[in-house]
Amino acid sequence: MMKTMQQRLLGPTGLSVGIIGMGCMPLSVNGRPSEEEGIKTIHAALEQGITLFDTADAYCLNAGENGHNERLLSKALRNHPEAIVATKGGHIRPEGRWETDGRPDHLRQACEDSLRALGVEAITLYQFHRPDPKVPFAESVGAVADLQREGKIVHVGLSNVSVAQLEEARNIVKVASVQNRMNLFDHSSMDVLKRCEELGIAFLPYSPLNGMGKAGGIGSNETLSRIAGAYDASPQQIALAWLIQLSPVILPIPGASKIANIVNSAGAAKVTLSADDLSVLGTIASA
């Protein structure tokens, strides 16, 4: 049975999604589950009321299987029109390395490849994955804007950007979302979040549980563990609830490769923290 989850607008798109999304990268990189288990995990997310799924063409082991995560999502979501997929282009994986390629020609080809991998005529939300220091930022964003004008992209987003880059992009295209790293332990994008809030742009914090490999250990923080106990919640749920209450434009996208983990993360939507606990949790990063 599908559960209902509190909804939140995906920025200025007019689309409503579950207040917690799912980051799908762990399903396609080192340590990934089988395809069957990956699909079961995506279906478990749907059953919890999650409707926003974050992916990228570069979520794979190497360049030889580019688009692995997009193809997996396409297969899992084939009969789920309620699901919204946000993908990204601008990273490449030569021999498994993470490198950037923001050249307009590359972004155009990346978008075409993502359309095929996802099996759609237009990508609902396409985010420029990371500024490429070798390519003027405006050229990369301009290429994505061209793809939107051609009808291949519905909404445009950015990832890993500064406030200055967000403002530069806004002179070129309407920005629907920003996906930057943000969690209890890392407030480095707080200025970008505040600007997104002022503009009504969705902010999708990636690594909301402090990143792959660290999520399971965040309960070792004494303050977080104490507050979690008071709410009869997991430390992970408290960390996500803090993000949700931090700003009305935030949509956390915790990653998961196991059913139990995404079910646990979805439970954060039911946690409401007190003002005092929000304040205390906000000091963890500087402790």
Side-chain angles (χ1 to χ4, degrees):
M1 176 183 289
M2 297 284 185
K3 296 183 180 179
T4 58
M5 178 183 284
Q6 181 182 349
Q7 300 285 294
R8 184 166 278 186
L9 281 175
L10 182 58
T13 66
L15 299 168
S16 290
V17 294
I19 201 164
I20 291 173
M22 178 178 173
C24 297
M25 184 172 78
L27 300 176
S28 292
V29 295
N30 288 327
R32 69 193 188 192
S34 67
E35 179 178 285
E36 181 183 4
E37 287 303 309
I39 290 174
K40 287 180 179 179
T41 302
I42 294 166
H43 287 169
L46 287 163
E47 289 167 4
Q48 296 300 309
I50 289 173
T51 53
L52 176 63
F53 295 85
D54 175 76
T55 183
D57 60 348
Y59 291 168
C60 55
L61 294 178
N62 52 57
E65 57 166 36
N66 198 62
H68 178 278
N69 200 245
E70 294 171 321
R71 289 189 293 274
L72 181 67
L73 275 169
S74 177
K75 184 177 292 188
L77 299 176
R78 191 164 293 151
N79 298 314
H80 294 277
E82 73 278 17
I84 291 173
V85 175
T87 193
K88 298 180 289 293
H91 257 305
I92 53 175
R93 302 297 310 281
E95 298 179 349
R97 300 187 303 276
W98 289 90
E99 297 181 2
T100 54
D101 190 343
R103 294 173 300 132
D105 286 351
H106 170 75
L107 291 172
R108 175 168 292 278
Q109 186 61 56
C111 179
E112 296 285 359
D113 291 344
S114 289
L115 286 166
R116 281 192 293 273
L118 292 169
V120 296
E121 293 183 1
I123 295 168
T124 303
L125 176 60
Y126 192 82
Q127 302 177 112
F128 177 38
H129 206 154
R130 186 181 296 272
D132 184 344
K134 304 181 298 296
V135 181
F137 184 66
E139 290 186 13
S140 299
V141 175
V144 178
D146 287 343
L147 290 163
Q148 184 187 42
R149 281 190 287 271
E150 293 168 20
K152 296 177 180 180
I153 295 168
V154 182
H155 302 287
V156 173
L158 307 169
S159 186
N160 296 293
V161 293
S162 65
V163 172
Q165 288 168 329
L166 169 58
E167 297 298 345
E168 185 177 0
R170 289 180 59 234
N171 289 325
I172 301 168
V173 70
K174 182 177 181 180
V175 178
S177 66
V178 169
Q179 185 172 328
N180 277 17
R181 183 181 174 93
M182 169 76 80
N183 56 61
L184 273 175
F185 308 93
D186 184 348
H187 296 183
S188 57
S189 284
M190 192 67 77
D191 58 340
V192 181
L193 167 62
K194 294 304 181 186
R195 186 59 178 144
C196 286
E197 188 173 316
E198 291 169 358
L199 297 166
I201 292 172
F203 187 93
L204 282 55
Y206 72 80
S207 297
L209 298 175
N210 208 25
M212 285 180 62
K214 297 181 180 179
I218 64 175
S220 62
N221 181 276
E222 186 176 333
T223 299
L224 181 55
S225 183
R226 174 181 59 78
I227 292 175
Y231 287 85
D232 193 24
S234 70
Q236 291 79 12
Q237 289 171 337
I238 297 299
L240 293 171
W242 176 80
L243 279 168
I244 289 169
Q245 290 179 242
L246 183 63
S247 170
V249 299
I250 278 185
L251 289 161
I253 46 171
S257 60
K258 298 177 181 178
I259 292 173
N261 291 344
I262 197 60
V263 170
N264 179 61
S265 289
K270 298 178 181 178
V271 177
T272 302
L273 299 167
S274 70
D276 286 345
D277 287 335
L278 286 170
S279 179
V280 170
L281 288 165
T283 66
I284 285 179
S286 56

